[in-house]
Amino acid sequence: MDAVYFLVQQMMFFSIPLLIVALGGMFSERSGVVNIALEGIMVSGAFTSILLISLLQSGMSGQALLLLAVLVAVLTGMAFSLLHAYAAVSLRSDQTISGTALNMIAPASAIYLARMIQPNGVQQIEFTNTFRIPRVPLLGDIPVLGPMFFRNAYLTTYIGIIIFLAAAFVLYRTRFGLRLRACGEHPQAADSVGINVYRMRYAGVLISGALAGLGGLVYVIPTSTNFNATVSGYGFLALAVLIFGQWKPLRILVAAFFFGLMKTIASAYSGIPILQGLGIPSDIYKMVPFIATLIALAFTSKRSQAPRASGVPYDKGQR
Amino acid sequence: MHRIRKGLSGMSASLLAILAGLLAGFLILLISNPANALKGLGMVLMGGWNNGMKGVGQVLYYATPLIMTGLSVGFAFKTGMFNIGAAGQLMVGGFVSVYVGATWTFLPGAWHWVVALLLGMLAGSLWGMVVGLFKALLNVHEVITSIMLNYIGMYGINYLIKNSHLFDALKNQTVNVAPNAVIPKAGLDRVFYILKGAYHDASSVNAGILIAIGLALLVYVVLNKTTFGYELKACGHNRHASRYAGISENRAIITSMAIAGGLAGVAGALMYLAPPSGMHIHVAEVLAAQGFNGIAVALLGMSNPIGIIFTGLFIAHITVGGAYLQSLKYMKEIIEVIIGLIIYFSAFSLLVRDVIAAAGRRRARREQARGQEREAD
């Protein structure tokens, strides 16, 4: 049973950042803007928030510091994504252009700034992890569920779940969500009933920036003790999770957990007696999440359909 | 005439983007260390010339894989596909080339590198074709398949290298390929060198750059002068209309991804069919950066094969120049920031084009008005 608890705890570290960032991408794409800059935005959010932690950790620690870092990550992501929104929405440029640009600018400037700001002049930003919650009071004592979800946990995991619930609610149960989706399906029609398409698309991209920035921090905190200007392709994986989840919140949740579980098995197989006994080399295990995703997609994508206007700049003059 | 004008306004937009990006880079240099900023900008602009003809040779050498991955991404763009998988196709192609180059020593003379190159291309092509097959037959988005195949290729190659005689465990990389499998110099080493006393210090440039330019021209011809290329582009522009015109969309998707993969495979082959002092495949969990930089090259070159030759050369040029910045205590990452900014500013091209067009319209109106005045006189 301990192995199962361990697996679930580990799975959260992989799944939650994917979930948060993919949900962010969902808001952008459902508004009609493809956002391949998720990777770069994650790096930007992780950079400022981890830098903040490393600067403040002598005076602060624990959940208060983490919450402050969350705020900084969100704000950085939003500010950085504004660049993408401006090019993709206001300038009506090809949306892969600014996305690619942001993906190049973020890691390079993170290294550049880290080496300039840090007194020791290195690109890695070290931090001490004081954020792990060994056992949530009361909830941690629930049999089975307690050890799975409320021990060795991070506050960010619960933030991720709340974001999921909020995202599903906003997208399907609010006027804002309806309008956002309309702009991603048929912006001309949305415009004709008085919705400001540009403003909705800005909103979509900014939400994706906020969540991707946060996702960068959420990815780094449990898996490392320093930030080296990379989130190891998680932004691109989140993009894959978004498509795997067919641009719908619940499916994205399933996709993120499916991928996270596969990834956990791949990295922690040596702790699972049955898998250890098979004697399969680690490189093969590492391929499993990607192959499994491809197979799952092959069976589930036949009727998958991206938001119809996603990737198409909206030109009011061409209505 | 119209096409030429469109090409020119596109080029001027790219040039303006480059200018703006360099200016922004200069500002960053100014902020981080004002004293050396002007000298630093000069170094970036000089690129390879900082080290004479050897440096120029290095620019050509670094440009080779960039041009190839740029062609790969650009070709897929033309058919409306986003090939974010050039990194994986490059690695798979490179691996097969190294395998053939290191083991098939029975191949005589120049046949060895030619066969290794062709099989590398074929391997990359198959890797890319999987993306096309998934898209055409199973409706799986090409971006997701490409990303998955990048990682599958990377881990798979690591496994195959570690468990074969191709592994140099001491250096954690592949072994040297046979001398016959190395891409020949084609006399370029006698052009691009500097003299150190009596010693010719030659650059690493080889026939790869000629192959890359040749393939770019070939791609240009295929896209612009053949029915096949026309059909591929038609699918990219409007797949419903092209289906109506009797073009098989599925065939176009599969073949264009196979070709894109093959072009990226050649990038890998040209990189790794190198002499002992050159590049080897490192066993590391990192995707080849050239694959992603290919997206930048293709975008800046506006997916035009000829444009891609120049943008590949340009990006290699300032990257080599940026390496010398370290002598002025600047971090070389600034070059990637500058390249990113240039690409970002190229998103303004539509704006620039509108401004140019508006200026043209104004002038036309003025002339018309003047003409009317004359008539009135």
Side-chain angles (χ1 to χ4, degrees):
Chain A
M1 216 48 200
D2 281 349
V4 175
Y5 297 152
F6 174 71
L7 269 186
V8 174
Q9 288 164 8
Q10 286 289 315
M11 186 176 81
M12 291 299 166
F13 303 154
F14 291 119
S15 299
I16 293 294
L18 283 178
L19 173 70
I20 295 175
V21 180
L23 286 172
M26 178 189 77
F27 277 101
S28 174
E29 299 221 352
R30 292 300 291 254
S31 79
V33 182
V34 166
N35 192 351
I36 66 158
L38 292 174
E39 175 90 1
I41 300 172
M42 278 180 84
V43 170
S44 76
F47 169 69
T48 52
S49 55
I50 299 287
L51 187 66
L52 177 96
I53 290 175
S54 96
L55 292 177
L56 295 185
Q57 61 189 2
S58 53
M60 276 173 90
S61 72
Q63 307 311 324
L65 181 57
L66 183 58
L67 281 175
L68 196 62
V70 164
L71 186 70
V72 168
V74 165
L75 289 177
T76 313
M78 284 176 88
F80 198 51
S81 69
L82 208 54
L83 288 172
H84 183 50
Y86 179 64
V89 182
S90 298
L91 295 179
R92 307 192 308 273
S93 80
D94 184 328
Q95 297 170 0
T96 46
I97 296 183
S98 48
T100 304
L102 261 53
N103 284 338
M104 288 191 87
I105 292 170
S109 47
I111 295 177
Y112 196 89
L113 289 172
R115 291 182 61 179
M116 252 175 67
I117 294 170
Q118 296 203 106
N120 53 5
V122 298
Q123 67 183 56
Q124 288 92 350
I125 307 174
E126 309 277 338
F127 67 95
T128 321
N129 186 343
T130 55
F131 315 116
R132 197 170 62 88
I133 307 169
R135 178 190 288 254
V136 179
L138 292 176
L139 294 173
D141 299 325
I142 304 172
V144 185
L145 291 181
M148 272 189 192
F149 299 109
F150 299 106
R151 287 186 205 166
N152 288 329
Y154 286 87
L155 194 60
T156 47
T157 301
Y158 309 123
I159 294 178
I161 300 294
I162 292 169
I163 286 173
F164 162 72
L165 295 172
F169 180 79
V170 167
L171 195 67
Y172 288 126
R173 291 279 179 270
T174 64
R175 193 150 50 167
F176 171 78
L178 180 67
R179 291 181 170 181
L180 187 93
R181 284 182 289 143
C183 291
E185 295 294 334
H186 203 309
Q188 289 81 4
D191 198 349
S192 72
V193 293
I195 299 171
N196 186 336
V197 176
Y198 297 128
R199 197 185 293 165
M200 293 313 278
R201 289 193 166 182
Y202 261 92
V205 176
L206 283 179
I207 295 173
S208 82
L211 295 185
L214 171 62
L217 173 71
V218 174
Y219 166 71
V220 175
I221 290 281
T223 50
S224 181
T225 53
N226 69 62
F227 175 66
N228 194 8
T230 172
V231 292
S232 332
Y234 257 62
F236 291 118
L237 288 178
L239 202 60
V241 165
L242 168 66
I243 300 171
F244 188 10
Q246 298 188 8
W247 298 270
K248 296 186 179 82
L250 189 62
R251 283 173 184 256
I252 290 172
L253 180 82
V254 174
F257 277 86
F258 173 80
F259 195 84
L261 178 67
M262 291 296 156
K263 191 98 180 141
T264 311
I265 292 174
S267 67
Y269 72 94
S270 55
I272 307 166
I274 312 165
L275 296 179
Q276 171 78 2
L278 292 175
I280 299 171
S282 71
D283 281 318
I284 303 295
Y285 271 114
K286 286 176 189 161
M287 289 160 76
V288 165
F290 307 99
I291 296 174
T293 306
L294 270 188
I295 294 173
L297 278 166
F299 286 107
T300 57
S301 299
K302 201 63 204 168
R303 277 188 298 184
S304 148
Q305 167 72 48
R308 281 183 198 275
S310 178
V312 187
Y314 179 61
D315 186 350
K316 202 169 172 144
Q318 286 180 351
R319 202 169 87 198
Chain B
M1 186 61 210
H2 173 70
R3 237 186 47 212
I4 295 172
R5 199 180 307 147
K6 202 174 135 206
L8 278 181
S9 88
M11 213 168 85
S12 61
S14 284
L15 288 177
L16 275 177
I18 288 172
L19 212 64
L22 288 172
L23 201 68
F26 178 59
L27 281 179
I28 300 173
L29 290 180
L30 261 182
I31 293 165
S32 31
N33 183 0
N36 283 336
L38 211 56
K39 217 167 154 193
L41 183 70
M43 269 185 174
V44 173
L45 291 177
M46 286 277 282
W49 294 107
N50 284 307
N51 197 14
M53 286 306 272
K54 183 187 175 186
V56 177
Q58 289 308 101
V59 169
L60 297 176
Y61 179 66
Y62 288 122
T64 306
L66 287 179
I67 292 174
M68 289 315 303
T69 52
L71 283 174
S72 169
V73 178
F75 194 89
F77 270 141
K78 286 281 183 192
T79 323
M81 305 275 284
F82 183 27
N83 182 18
I84 200 167
Q89 294 145 12
L90 178 153
M91 290 169 99
V92 170
F95 171 76
V96 169
S97 290
V98 167
Y99 176 81
V100 174
T103 43
W104 292 13
T105 43
F106 54 83
L107 290 165
W111 280 108
H112 198 171
W113 72 263
V114 173
V115 171
L117 176 70
L118 288 176
L119 287 178
M121 177 165 81
L122 185 71
S125 171
L126 289 173
W127 211 244
M129 198 165 89
V130 176
V131 178
L133 285 169
F134 265 70
K135 168 99 174 181
L137 304 180
L138 300 165
N139 192 31
V140 181
H141 202 292
E142 74 268 18
V143 167
I144 190 170
T145 322
S146 302
I147 292 172
M148 296 296 135
L149 284 177
N150 277 345
Y151 287 98
I152 295 172
M154 178 185 82
Y155 289 120
I157 289 164
N158 283 349
Y159 172 72
L160 289 173
I161 293 174
K162 275 191 266 180
N163 291 283
S164 68
H165 55 278
L166 294 177
F167 190 41
D168 181 345
L170 270 177
K171 294 179 181 164
N172 196 33
Q173 63 184 25
T174 47
V175 294
N176 299 330
V177 296
N180 274 341
V182 174
I183 304 283
K185 290 280 182 190
L188 292 174
D189 54 338
R190 271 170 279 150
V191 181
F192 298 104
Y193 66 93
I194 49 171
L195 279 176
K196 281 191 178 161
Y199 172 65
H200 277 226
D201 189 9
S203 82
S204 316
V205 67
N206 57 29
I209 184 68
L210 304 176
I211 296 171
I213 292 175
L215 283 170
L217 296 175
L218 184 68
V219 167
Y220 179 81
V221 170
V222 167
L223 276 175
N224 295 305
K225 305 288 174 207
T226 66
T227 319
F228 171 67
Y230 181 83
E231 289 187 356
L232 291 185
K233 281 193 298 184
C235 280
H237 277 297
N238 187 337
R239 58 204 188 106
H240 303 294
S242 51
R243 197 187 306 148
Y244 184 71
I247 300 168
S248 163
E249 186 196 348
N250 283 352
R251 211 191 61 181
I253 286 173
I254 296 167
T255 44
S256 92
M257 279 313 297
I259 292 171
L263 292 167
V266 172
L270 294 180
M271 271 165 70
Y272 297 120
L273 289 176
S277 61
M279 273 190 256
H280 295 69
I281 306 178
H282 275 276
V283 176
E285 294 182 0
V286 183
L287 292 166
Q290 288 86 351
F292 292 99
N293 291 341
I295 303 173
V297 173
L299 288 173
L300 199 59
M302 294 196 282
S303 304
N304 178 323
I306 312 297
I308 286 169
I309 299 177
F310 287 106
T311 50
L313 286 170
F314 171 75
I315 287 185
H317 177 79
I318 62 171
T319 307
V320 169
Y324 295 107
L325 275 182
Q326 291 174 53
S327 63
L328 297 178
K329 301 257 177 347
Y330 288 116
M331 277 76 85
K332 67 178 190 323
E333 280 75 22
I334 182 138
I335 292 302
E336 275 168 64
V337 177
I338 292 177
I339 296 171
L341 286 170
I342 289 174
I343 294 181
Y344 185 74
F345 288 128
S346 76
F348 290 48
S349 64
L350 200 62
L351 187 78
V352 172
R353 224 172 291 164
D354 286 353
V355 170
I356 292 173
R361 270 201 305 277
R362 257 203 311 280
R363 201 171 46 228
R365 224 177 297 134
R366 247 198 330 267
E367 272 162 20
Q368 204 183 357
R370 220 173 288 151
Q372 279 165 355
E373 271 168 34
R374 264 199 297 274
E375 268 170 41
D377 291 344

